[in-house]
């Protein structure tokens, strides 16, 4: 009997060995599949985060000096290193620590403005220097946002959100502690770093809250008159292609900018 059982035992042993190998193979397959899924999910997360960051800086709130990207705007070329001014930045003493009054005319719509040289001395000094040199005359307002944040961005000599005055500066000044930029606020756009301010600025036409996790945006002053006329003549028409962040449907140019 023992000799007759031997082939059966050997067959059962071979079967158990085969089954064990199959189980090991199956476990490896399951592990490989799991690892592939984890890798794909990780890639998706990385891409999503990268896209989110790009969307913030490109469509940005107003910030970026475009050539960099601000809220609303692209990034300045090249993006200045954090903690470094680039180029011949006007002295912060120009603002004299006082309030400056003037008129910003867009498509022949005059906006009364005030710039606060005490609250944002470097940014206001730069603006005064650019205004008095005639830098802004003839430049366009290239960006209008109509959903989530409500701003008109101007001051780029290239007209596409990538230009500036040939210098950049920082850091940010006079940032609202609560992130609220009331209607009428005038603030500087910037790129990814706090040292990427240039010539681009934005006008808030409806109360807007902007994220402060990257430092916020330098408030330089406010519109004192003409905002409703600007809404009727430019903003209410929306963007040229109907998207919530794009060029104004009504081409908008700075026809004059005076300060004193």
């Amino acid at each position: 009997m023992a000799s007759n059982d031997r082939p059966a035992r050997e067959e059962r042993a071979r079967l158990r060995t085969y089954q064990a190998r199959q189980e090991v193979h199956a476990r490896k397959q399951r592990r490989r599949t799991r690892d592939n899924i984890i890798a794909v999910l990780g890639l998706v997360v990385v891409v999503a985060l990268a896209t989110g960051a790009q969307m913030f800086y490109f469509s940005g709130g107003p910030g970026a000096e475009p050539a960099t990207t601000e809220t609303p705007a692209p990034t300045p070329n090249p993006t200045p290193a954090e903690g470094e001014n680039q180029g011949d930045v006007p002295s912060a003493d120009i603002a004299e620590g006082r309030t400056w009054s003037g008129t910003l005319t867009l498509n022949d719509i005059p906006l009364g403005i005030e710039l606060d040289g005490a609250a944002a001395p470097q940014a206001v000094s730069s603006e005064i220097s650019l205004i008095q040199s005639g830098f802004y005359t003839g430049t366009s307002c290239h960006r209008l946002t109509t959903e989530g944040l409500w701003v008109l961005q101007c001051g780029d000599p290239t007209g596409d959100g990538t230009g500036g005055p040939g210098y950049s500066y920082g850091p940010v000044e006079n940032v609202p502690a609560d992130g609220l930029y009331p209607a009428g606020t005038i603030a500087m756009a910037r790129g990814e770093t706090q040292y990427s301010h240039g010539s681009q600025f934005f006008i808030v036409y409806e109360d807007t809250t902007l994220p402060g996790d990257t430092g916020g945006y330098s408030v330089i002053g406010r519109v004192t008159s003409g905002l409703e006329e600007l809404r009727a003549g430019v903003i209410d028409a929306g963007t040229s292609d109907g998207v919530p962040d794009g060029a104004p449907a009504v081409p908008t140019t700075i026809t004059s900018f005076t300060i004193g």
Side-chain angles (χ1 to χ4, degrees), residues 6-241:
R6 182 175 180 180
R9 288 198 301 272
E10 290 176 347
E11 181 62 27
R12 287 194 294 272
R14 284 194 296 271
L15 179 60
R16 286 195 295 271
T17 300
Y18 173 76
Q19 290 173 334
R21 289 174 179 171
Q22 287 295 95
E23 178 60 27
V24 169
H25 178 72
R27 284 200 299 269
K28 288 181 178 179
Q29 286 293 95
R30 290 194 295 270
R31 184 180 303 112
R32 187 176 297 113
T33 299
R34 181 201 62 195
D35 292 345
N36 287 341
I37 291 173
I38 291 173
V40 170
L41 289 175
L43 179 60
V44 169
V45 170
V46 169
V47 171
L49 290 174
T51 302
Q54 182 182 15
M55 286 304 293
F56 170 72
Y57 288 114
F58 181 76
S59 60
E65 179 40 355
T68 295
T69 290
E70 315 155 26
T71 290
T75 301
N77 301 317
T79 300
E82 188 66 49
E84 296 181 7
N85 288 338
Q86 301 286 331
D88 189 12
V89 181
S91 169
D93 294 335
I94 295 174
E96 299 178 357
R98 66 180 178 89
T99 299
W100 295 69
S101 299
T103 303
L104 167 61
T105 305
L106 304 177
N107 288 4
D108 297 322
I109 301 171
L111 304 178
I113 66 162
E114 288 183 351
L115 301 183
D116 191 342
Q122 181 59 79
V124 171
S125 291
S126 174
E127 289 303 283
I128 293 170
S129 176
L130 293 173
I131 294 167
Q132 292 179 339
S133 71
F135 175 90
Y136 286 116
T137 302
T139 62
S140 66
C141 294
H142 65 279
R143 187 178 191 182
L144 176 66
T145 63
T146 61
E147 185 177 301
L149 59 152
W150 296 271
V151 304
L152 177 67
Q153 187 167 329
C154 310
D156 174 18
T158 68
D160 61 7
T162 63
Y167 61 81
S168 60
Y169 65 89
V172 297
E173 304 171 290
N174 195 32
V175 177
D178 58 1
L180 176 62
Y181 296 71
T185 296
I186 304 173
M188 297 305 300
R190 64 176 177 84
E192 185 174 353
T193 81
Q194 290 195 25
Y195 283 77
S196 53
H197 301 82
S199 60
Q200 295 184 43
F201 61 90
F202 59 94
I203 299 169
V204 181
Y205 63 87
E206 187 172 319
D207 290 0
T208 294
T209 298
L210 298 173
D213 53 347
T214 61
Y217 302 93
S218 298
V219 174
I220 59 173
R222 65 189 184 96
V223 175
T224 58
S225 64
L227 192 59
E228 288 305 312
E229 289 76 6
L230 180 65
R231 293 194 64 150
V234 173
I235 294 165
D236 289 348
T239 61
S240 59
D241 52 8

